[in-house]
Amino acid sequence: MAIHSRQPGFLHALLTFGLIVTTIGIGLFVLQTSLHSLMLLCLLIAGVSARTLGAEYDAIKNAMNDSIYSALSAIYIFILIGVIIAAFIEGGTLATLLYYGIRLIEPAIFLPAGLLFCTIMSLATGTSWGTAGTAGVVLMSIGESMGFPVAVVAGMVISGACFGDKMSPVSDTTNLAAMSSKTNLYAHIKSMSYTTGPVYLIVLTLFTLYGLNYRDSIMPAEHLELLCDGLDSAFTISLWTLLPLLAMLALSMRRVSAELAMAASALVAVLLAMVLQRQEAGVVLNSLFNGGSVRSEVTELNSLLGRGGIASMMWTLSLSLMALALGGVLDRFGFLRVLIVGILSRVKRAATLVATTIITSLFGNMGMGEAYMTIILGGQLFGDAYDEKGLDRCVMSRSLEEGATLTTALIPWTTGGAFFASTLGVPVMDYAPWALLNWMNPLFSMVLAYTGFALFRTDQP
């Protein structure tokens, strides 16, 4: 598609991007403005900047439309996650997991056990969003009932979910990073294991130590027993209610698309709600939009059982649409491309190239609103630089994942950040310090690069 406008200069691109980041920073931290309003202002800044390059209005609008179109799968998943959470509540899946989780999991091991559970589920399914929307919601409820700070639990969930998503051979971002970097999928995963594996062990240790130190403040057994009794009175607690979760796991492991796996899982949960929980069909179907409708005699449980539904995802969806539109303008009219090329011309060392890849991927997420576009753009722009320095492209694919896949959860206006905040019910700025893997892994990788560790060369056997 021809674009009848000139490319921005480096200073022009830097000024545009700087204005956008400054607008968001001041709006969020000084004025405490709505992210949606800030995204609207940023769209205006990007549009005016593109217009000064000679871009026509229709070209700017098409750039926005195309970016949104490219992320339709993520939009469908937003909606389906809301449906799944509501269906799991109505079908008793969430209640059963909560019931046995409260009874069987010792508070002292809750955080490491939850981290491992999210890791295994995301490795099996290849999706951090699906893991957060199912296992994550359950763990948030269990952790909250045990008295853990919700920000800590959310950080644990996201760390485990993102590790599995990043390392799973069935993950879309894992395959995309390998494909964009033109490297073998398993060489890419092996390369990531050198940096992500040690960090994961550190994160597991830190959550274990935190859980041990916190056990004195855990709620008394009488209160937990009251919660279990409330669940037992509101639902039929049965292992049959785990069928929706097993269906999603089985379909995901057979490489069925995430949308179909989620839809099938929700359908099984709806059937269980009508057959096993004896809910009326109309009530169950309405809950898929409005959220869980079950009410317990225990007041505290009602907030846990009133989540989900398509309506609950609308804040996230609308913010993501605006962020994607902004990313489309910045990408189509070359602002990010010019910045990256300008920065690469100043990179001399192999280790600096790795650090540059990770940092520019972070800023790419900030500008384009999601990791997919950042990974694709990075694969196009960094490849020659890695070849010139004799670095294997699996180092580039690893750096793209660490800079793009992991950091998207730490930025409030990206699709990932908005999704996790909405699904887990914790603002990004609250859980970000506790999403240990997501910020420790990129930092660790950059430090290791300057030691020369795991900088695989193309001439190595």
Side-chain angles (χ1 to χ4, degrees):
M1 178 179 174
I3 303 174
H4 301 293
S5 63
R6 61 185 182 276
Q7 288 288 293
F10 181 80
L11 290 178
H12 185 167
L14 184 63
L15 177 62
T16 300
F17 195 80
L19 279 173
I20 288 171
V21 172
T22 301
T23 298
I24 294 172
I26 293 176
L28 277 181
F29 302 113
V30 179
L31 303 178
Q32 298 183 340
T33 308
S34 162
L35 262 176
H36 292 73
S37 300
L38 296 175
M39 282 294 105
L40 190 60
L41 287 175
C42 291
L43 265 174
L44 180 62
I45 291 169
V48 170
S49 188
R51 188 72 184 90
T52 63
L53 298 172
E56 298 293 335
Y57 169 75
D58 285 344
I60 297 172
K61 185 173 72 172
N62 287 336
M64 296 162 59
N65 293 345
D66 291 344
S67 179
I68 292 171
Y69 179 79
S70 70
L72 280 179
S73 291
I75 292 169
Y76 297 149
I77 289 174
F78 275 151
I79 296 171
L80 285 168
I81 288 292
V83 170
I84 277 182
I85 294 172
F88 276 24
I89 290 172
E90 297 294 329
T93 304
L94 178 61
T96 297
L97 289 170
L98 278 173
Y99 182 87
Y100 287 114
I102 290 172
R103 286 200 176 279
L104 300 178
I105 298 178
E106 289 291 330
I109 64 166
F110 168 70
L111 290 176
L115 180 72
L116 290 170
F117 181 41
C118 289
T119 299
I120 293 168
M121 184 167 178
S122 57
L123 278 170
T125 62
T127 168
S128 58
W129 288 13
T131 300
T134 51
V137 171
V138 173
L139 290 168
M140 289 297 299
S141 300
I142 295 174
E144 192 173 353
S145 68
M146 289 181 172
F148 282 96
V150 291
V152 175
V153 181
M156 174 270 289
V157 168
I158 293 165
S159 293
C162 289
F163 173 86
D165 188 356
K166 181 174 182 281
M167 300 297 291
S168 174
V170 298
S171 164
D172 50 1
T173 55
T174 306
N175 282 272
L176 182 63
M179 180 183 68
S180 299
S181 302
K182 299 180 181 178
T183 190
N184 177 270
L185 173 63
Y186 292 98
H188 167 54
I189 294 173
K190 181 181 178 181
S191 177
M192 289 193 295
S193 68
Y194 283 85
T195 56
T196 308
V199 173
Y200 183 80
L201 294 177
I202 294 170
V203 170
L204 180 62
T205 301
L206 290 174
F207 277 123
T208 301
L209 293 174
Y210 183 90
L212 290 173
N213 292 330
Y214 199 78
R215 58 186 170 186
D216 293 338
S217 301
I218 300 301
M219 290 185 179
E222 298 80 19
H223 183 77
L224 299 180
E225 192 65 34
L226 179 65
L227 294 177
C228 287
D229 290 343
L231 290 169
D232 199 21
S233 64
F235 294 92
T236 299
I237 303 297
S238 165
L239 294 179
W240 286 108
T241 63
L242 302 182
L243 282 176
L245 189 59
L246 294 175
M248 187 169 73
L249 281 169
L251 290 172
S252 298
M253 292 178 70
R254 291 181 63 85
R255 303 297 298 271
V256 174
S257 71
E259 296 92 336
L260 288 176
M262 289 178 181
S265 178
L267 178 59
V268 174
V270 165
L271 293 175
L272 284 172
M274 292 185 290
V275 175
L276 190 63
Q277 306 299 341
R278 303 189 182 282
Q279 289 272 42
E280 295 181 5
V283 172
V284 175
L285 294 176
N286 280 333
S287 74
L288 299 184
F289 179 79
N290 295 314
S293 61
V294 179
R295 289 292 176 266
S296 165
E297 295 176 358
V298 181
T299 305
E300 186 178 345
L301 283 175
N302 291 333
S303 62
L304 303 179
L305 303 174
R307 301 184 180 189
I310 295 172
S312 70
M313 304 307 296
M314 288 300 103
W315 186 94
T316 308
L317 179 57
S318 57
L319 178 63
S320 298
L321 291 175
M322 298 175 77
L324 288 167
L326 173 63
V329 176
L330 294 176
D331 179 39
R332 178 69 58 84
F333 298 101
F335 294 104
L336 290 175
R337 185 179 299 270
V338 167
L339 279 178
I340 293 174
V341 171
I343 293 169
L344 279 177
S345 66
R346 296 164 172 81
V347 173
K348 305 301 180 186
R349 297 177 57 185
T352 305
L353 178 59
V354 170
T356 300
T357 305
I358 293 172
I359 293 170
T360 54
S361 295
L362 165 65
F363 281 97
N365 281 349
M366 293 174 68
M368 292 189 286
E370 52 123 9
Y372 299 105
M373 293 170 65
T374 300
I375 291 171
I376 293 170
L377 181 63
Q380 294 172 347
L381 297 180
F382 287 110
D384 289 343
Y386 277 80
D387 293 340
E388 289 170 6
K389 289 179 171 48
L391 289 175
D392 193 293
R393 288 202 174 206
C394 68
V395 178
M396 177 175 78
S397 62
R398 178 184 77 204
S399 302
L400 287 173
E401 280 244 64
E402 287 164 353
T405 303
L406 291 180
T407 65
T408 185
L410 306 176
I411 305 168
W413 59 92
T414 61
T415 53
F419 173 82
F420 287 126
S422 176
T423 302
L424 301 179
V426 182
V428 174
M429 303 313 296
D430 288 352
Y431 74 63
W434 294 100
L436 302 179
L437 182 91
N438 297 70
W439 60 264
M440 288 177 66
N441 192 175
L443 291 176
F444 185 74
S445 185
M446 287 189 284
V447 171
L448 280 186
Y450 283 99
T451 70
F453 180 77
L455 285 182
F456 305 114
R457 301 283 176 173
T458 52
D459 56 357
Q460 288 180 340

